[in-house]
Amino acid sequence: MRQRYRSVGLTEDELAPEPYTQFARWFTDAVAAAEDGLIAEPNAMVLSTADAEGLPASRTVLLKGYDLGGFVFYSNYRSRKARALAANPRASLLFPWHPITRQVIVSGTVARVTPEETAAYFHSRPHGSQIGAWASEQSSVVASREVLEKKYAELAARWPEGTEVPVPSFWGGFRVEPVSVEFWQGREDRLHDRLRYVRDAAGGWSVERLAP
């Protein structure tokens, strides 16, 4: 099972001065590919964490924002990922844009976003998703699907469509502040282009090429 990559390459002189602008360029391309039916969810990313014992875990989450401060996603603060991040506030993000033979890998430190930022995003969600955040004790064992749906129905009756759902105290955002961001471009004969931004002590960025 082999895929031959025939993509245009990525050179150092094409890169933006810092990774956020470069990410924005590639994310725009990924969104365009989604509009063409090539990528299902361009903002889907694999989040990898390690708990206090060093046990790794990965799962797919959705990118909900990015800026010069980092990359933001949301979760239940009692979930497995949140407990791991409380013990070891470091993570890796992987954007697997395979149909356009590109990947972006972000490694960095993690902190919670402000309550104001969480509230603004929470209230932008569909009503059902807001109720779902209350109904699901994420990562905990649930007896059955029926138990989950019953709890959801009770909460939906408490806060019907058109009413304001309060932000759960146990739910909110995380921001991954990168220390490195790698842009991977698939190339023929497995001679892929891998250019990695690395943050220095002064907060600037240098670029290094990695062997494929």
Side-chain angles (χ1 to χ4, degrees), residues 2 35 59 62 64 72 85 93 113 116 129 205:
R2 293 182 179 273
E35 292 171 350
R59 74 289 285 165
L62 296 178
K64 290 301 180 179
V72 176
L85 290 170
L93 305 173
V113 306
E116 293 76 16
S129 296
W205 297 94

Side-chain angles (χ1 to χ4, degrees), residues 32 56 60 88 94 98-99 114 124 151 156-157 163 168 174 182 188 201 206 211:
T60 302
N88 182 6
L94 167 65
H98 301 312
T114 65
S124 75
K151 186 172 183 180
T163 62
F174 291 95
E182 178 184 332
E188 194 170 6
S206 60

Side-chain angles (χ1 to χ4, degrees), residues 135-207:
S136 174
E137 297 179 16
Q138 195 174 88
S139 302
S140 65
V141 176
V142 61
S144 66
R145 175 78 188 188
E146 289 71 24
V147 169
L148 182 63
E149 291 179 346
K150 180 181 178 181
K151 186 172 183 180
Y152 180 94
E154 292 171 350
L155 292 164
R158 181 189 303 178
W159 297 303
E161 188 82 44
T163 62
E164 182 173 299
V165 181
V167 181
S169 60
F170 52 82
W171 190 94
F174 291 95
R175 176 175 281 103
V176 180
E177 182 179 357
V179 296
S180 71
V181 184
E182 178 184 332
F183 291 84
W184 182 99
Q185 176 71 70
R187 298 292 302 277
E188 194 170 6
D189 298 325
R190 297 298 187 265
L191 295 179
H192 312 309
D193 287 322
R194 298 176 60 191
L195 297 181
R196 181 171 65 184
Y197 291 84
V198 180
R199 192 170 63 192
D200 59 34
W205 297 94
S206 60
V207 176

Side-chain angles (χ1 to χ4, degrees), residues 67 69-73 109-113 117 173-177:
D67 54 28
F71 300 81
V72 176
F73 66 93
T109 58
V110 185
R112 293 185 181 186
V113 306
E117 190 171 351
F174 291 95
R175 176 175 281 103
V176 180
E177 182 179 357

